[in-house]
Amino acid sequence: MNIPYAIVKGKARLGSIVHQKTETALCLTSVKNEDKMEFSKIVEAVKANFNDKFDEYRRQWGGGIMGTKSQAKTKAKEKLMAKEAAQRLT
């Protein structure tokens, strides 16, 4: 859909735009003619920092390292599978 979006740190920063204490989401529907140049710069920055880098961030998320509990469960499952495979052979 190619809609520019940005994740802003803190609800108070969004609230300052709409003159409220805090705001969780903000959608701009119209822009004054005198502000269009500044708005287009913001849109380009947002697209460069969020929309275009989505796939890059998605690939880096996580690390493939399981916690100790998950490692123990996986090890126990593997041990059980090996035991069952040994019983099938005999």
Side-chain angles (χ1 to χ4, degrees):
M1 294 183 47
N2 206 14
I3 298 172
Y5 72 94
I7 299 171
V8 180
K9 188 176 182 180
K11 296 188 299 183
R13 289 185 185 190
L14 286 178
S16 65
I17 294 172
V18 293
H19 305 294
Q20 296 287 326
K21 190 173 183 180
T22 61
E23 192 67 34
T24 57
L26 177 67
C27 176
L28 301 175
T29 56
S30 63
V31 179
K32 293 181 182 177
N33 286 334
E34 59 264 15
D35 296 330
K36 284 196 178 193
M37 287 298 291
E38 188 176 342
F39 182 69
S40 66
K41 289 179 186 177
I42 292 172
V43 168
E44 289 301 317
V46 164
K47 282 185 179 180
N49 290 326
F50 291 96
N51 290 32
D52 297 340
K53 292 184 179 182
F54 173 73
D55 289 329
E56 184 179 316
Y57 290 139
R58 187 180 66 177
R59 281 189 224 116
Q60 292 179 354
W61 186 68
I65 300 171
M66 295 188 290
T68 55
K69 288 182 183 178
S70 298
Q71 288 177 357
K73 285 182 182 180
T74 305
K75 198 176 209 180
K77 284 182 183 179
E78 288 174 356
K79 192 182 277 187
L80 183 64
M81 295 288 275
K83 185 178 180 181
E84 288 177 357
Q87 286 179 350
R88 280 189 223 144
L89 293 176
T90 54

